[in-house]
Amino acid sequence: GPGTPERAFQGFPTNASAYMTLNTTLLNYPCPASPGDITVLRVGSETSCAKDESRPTCNGPLPGPGPYRVKFLALEGSEPVAETAWSKPITLRTAQSSDRIPTTDGRHSAGMIALTSILSILFAILLAGLVAMLVFWGSDACGGSSTFSKPEAVTVQRYNTH
Amino acid sequence: MAKSDDGIRILQGLLVFGNVVIAMCGIALTAECIFFVSDPHGLYPLLEATENDDIYAAAWIGIFVGFAFFALSILGIVGVIQSSRTLLLVYIILMLITYAFEMASCITAATQRDFLTPNLFLKQMLEMYQKSETVNNNDKWMTEGVTKTWDKLMLQNQCCGVQGPSDWQEYMSAFRHTHNDADFPWPRNCCVMDAQGSPINLDGCKLGVPGYYNSNGCYDAISGPMNTQAWGVAWFGFAILCWTFCVLLGTMFYWSRIEY
């Protein structure tokens, strides 16, 4: 029955093949359920009594990844009057190390490649233009007849010839 | 003769117009980059902890380049109107230097954006969130930054983890070393909070009952602002540089036509 050493949480799984926990009375299961109540039970919520031998019905955290089975019992005194079947085996999740996460799989996006290449080409053209400008500094060989002079500050005056 | 005079006048007008546009774009670039550097979403500690915050370096360069574009375009307008060979040569050379800096900023922003993947943030969160044994002051500073940022992120955006709360279950983490799985399957801030800042139902949150915990991941809240910043700096800079390219080519052509 609940509370005996053969069914104590602290002896699970070495000394006890099963443990009984989450004992409560019928009053906690009203029909219909109160609205706003969460109708689930969490196994392993009580961490404070996990090593406390004086609390054999402690709802302590499960010791390993499993697999485990679970069933519900309705007791009158210590005798079960109704019970569910054993559940299918449940295996708990195992966490893997965060070192296994690959962070070097970022490849360059198409936008970045386009941006880099276009800007490099434009810059190269500008540099070539600058070099061409400096090479032909002061020489009128390039289109001499179409150069223009600065706007003159002085205006041409008209002379009246008598 | 008259025709080429008209042509030169048109070229002058176009160059002045081009420089005015560059001036305005320079101011806009400065303003945009100041906005990004001010970090309105508070995500800078996450970048700082990756030890690769080049997106912010690109924004800083953008501030100064924008201002340089503004100043140089004024010089350009003066040079074009006065048709002075010296002024225009100085203008062209300084513009090319500024061009090179802005190019560096755009390429840096675009490259760094590709570096910021979900896995990067996941690994950082698992290794640094609420890490208790820090090796030196720098590590402590970065850990505190990451922890505070994640706490704020999870509260404000009602999210948990990078892809979801299962991140805390699937991987080992620094958080898991100090908080056991039974009491804290995921951090407290993943729970739906009431007005006073405490979970509305702690058991529901621990169990993962829908409505009592945040089931979506925070990656969108992180990558959204960072994408905006990276693309804002990179593509707006790219547009300015394309326009500047045309103006500079026109200026070089105009310079070669001035009688020496």
Side-chain angles (χ1 to χ4, degrees):
Chain A
T4 58
E6 300 85 37
R7 293 281 174 259
F9 165 76
Q10 287 79 12
F12 179 78
T14 46
N15 291 338
S17 57
Y19 72 99
M20 299 172 95
T21 183
L22 281 171
N23 45 325
T24 183
T25 62
L26 198 52
L27 294 168
N28 282 329
Y29 288 87
C31 278
S34 324
D37 268 357
I38 308 177
T39 55
V40 287
L41 292 171
R42 188 166 183 254
V43 172
S45 272
E46 293 182 286
T47 46
S48 50
C49 58
K51 299 259 189 317
D52 189 355
E53 300 274 339
S54 65
R55 292 273 325 268
T57 54
C58 178
N59 184 16
L62 293 167
Y68 301 97
R69 290 179 193 251
V70 68
K71 71 163 21 181
F72 283 89
L73 284 177
L75 299 169
E76 193 158 350
S78 299
E79 295 308 310
V81 294
E83 56 192 276
T84 63
W86 283 109
S87 71
K88 294 208 186 66
I90 303 169
T91 312
L92 302 183
R93 256 201 271 220
T94 321
Q96 34 175 320
S97 165
S98 62
D99 298 334
R100 302 250 236 101
I101 305 174
T103 51
T104 54
D105 58 338
R107 285 190 301 266
H108 293 306
S109 61
M112 173 258 165
I113 295 181
L115 187 144
T116 309
S117 35
I118 293 180
L119 284 184
S120 310
I121 294 175
L122 294 186
F123 190 58
I125 296 177
L126 284 180
L127 279 182
L130 178 71
V131 165
M133 265 173 55
L134 295 177
V135 161
F136 294 115
W137 175 299
S139 91
D140 287 332
C142 249
S145 63
S146 61
T147 55
F148 65 100
S149 33
K150 296 189 208 178
E152 295 292 334
V154 65
T155 55
V156 175
Q157 293 191 347
R158 288 197 127 219
Y159 292 95
N160 280 332
T161 51
H162 298 295
Chain B
M1 198 57 185
K3 191 157 164 254
S4 82
D5 259 354
D6 276 350
I8 290 300
R9 288 261 173 267
I10 293 176
L11 182 60
Q12 263 188 330
L14 283 179
L15 286 180
V16 169
F17 171 69
N19 277 304
V20 165
V21 170
I22 292 180
M24 296 193 302
C25 287
I27 298 286
L29 183 68
T30 301
E32 184 198 23
C33 290
I34 289 181
F35 174 71
F36 285 139
V37 166
S38 71
D39 193 22
H41 295 274
L43 293 173
Y44 182 66
L46 294 185
L47 274 188
E48 196 183 17
T50 66
E51 312 212 325
N52 196 337
D53 56 354
D54 283 354
I55 287 194
Y56 276 83
W60 274 107
I61 296 179
I63 295 179
F64 297 113
V65 162
F67 191 66
F69 271 139
F70 175 72
L72 284 179
S73 62
I74 295 182
L75 175 71
I77 293 176
V78 166
V80 162
I81 291 183
Q82 289 189 352
S83 301
S84 149
R85 269 202 158 191
T86 332
L87 270 186
L88 284 182
L89 186 62
V90 167
Y91 165 79
I92 289 175
I93 292 180
L94 289 181
M95 263 295 204
L96 279 180
I97 296 176
T98 313
Y99 193 98
F101 272 102
E102 178 60 15
M103 217 172 87
S105 162
C106 290
I107 294 177
T108 305
T111 312
Q112 286 320 112
R113 175 59 204 95
D114 293 341
F115 174 70
L116 302 174
T117 53
N119 275 350
L120 178 77
F121 290 114
L122 177 64
K123 195 159 181 188
Q124 181 191 73
M125 177 185 82
L126 292 172
E127 287 175 1
M128 285 195 161
Y129 179 75
Q130 301 221 9
K131 183 160 112 169
S132 47
E133 318 98 26
T134 52
V135 290
N136 54 26
N137 267 346
N138 189 36
D139 195 25
K140 185 159 175 286
W141 168 261
M142 293 203 300
T143 304
E144 277 173 13
V146 169
T147 305
K148 276 206 205 97
T149 307
W150 269 104
D151 283 336
K152 191 167 65 80
L153 259 180
M154 293 196 280
L155 266 181
Q156 283 181 353
N157 299 90
Q158 279 94 47
C159 58
C160 186
V162 172
Q163 275 131 0
S166 52
D167 288 342
W168 296 106
Q169 299 279 298
E170 279 174 28
Y171 297 98
M172 278 300 296
S173 55
F175 174 74
R176 186 59 65 223
H177 281 138
T178 44
H179 299 78
N180 63 24
D181 187 46
D183 288 327
F184 292 93
W186 32 71
R188 246 338 147 250
N189 280 12
C190 287
C191 302
V192 175
M193 304 285 195
D194 60 17
Q196 280 81 34
S198 47
I200 54 180
N201 190 319
L202 193 54
D203 281 329
C205 174
K206 286 192 207 170
L207 256 171
V209 178
Y212 295 96
Y213 78 127
N214 302 325
S215 52
N216 44 312
C218 295
Y219 183 63
D220 285 336
I222 299 176
S223 69
M226 285 200 189
N227 270 346
T228 313
Q229 173 166 339
W231 291 141
V233 171
W235 288 107
F236 186 50
F238 177 75
I240 296 180
L241 288 183
C242 286
W243 181 266
T244 310
F245 170 77
C246 300
V247 170
L248 279 180
L249 272 189
T251 312
M252 287 182 188
F253 178 73
Y254 182 78
W255 183 90
S256 65
R257 290 281 169 269
I258 301 176
E259 198 181 73
Y260 184 68

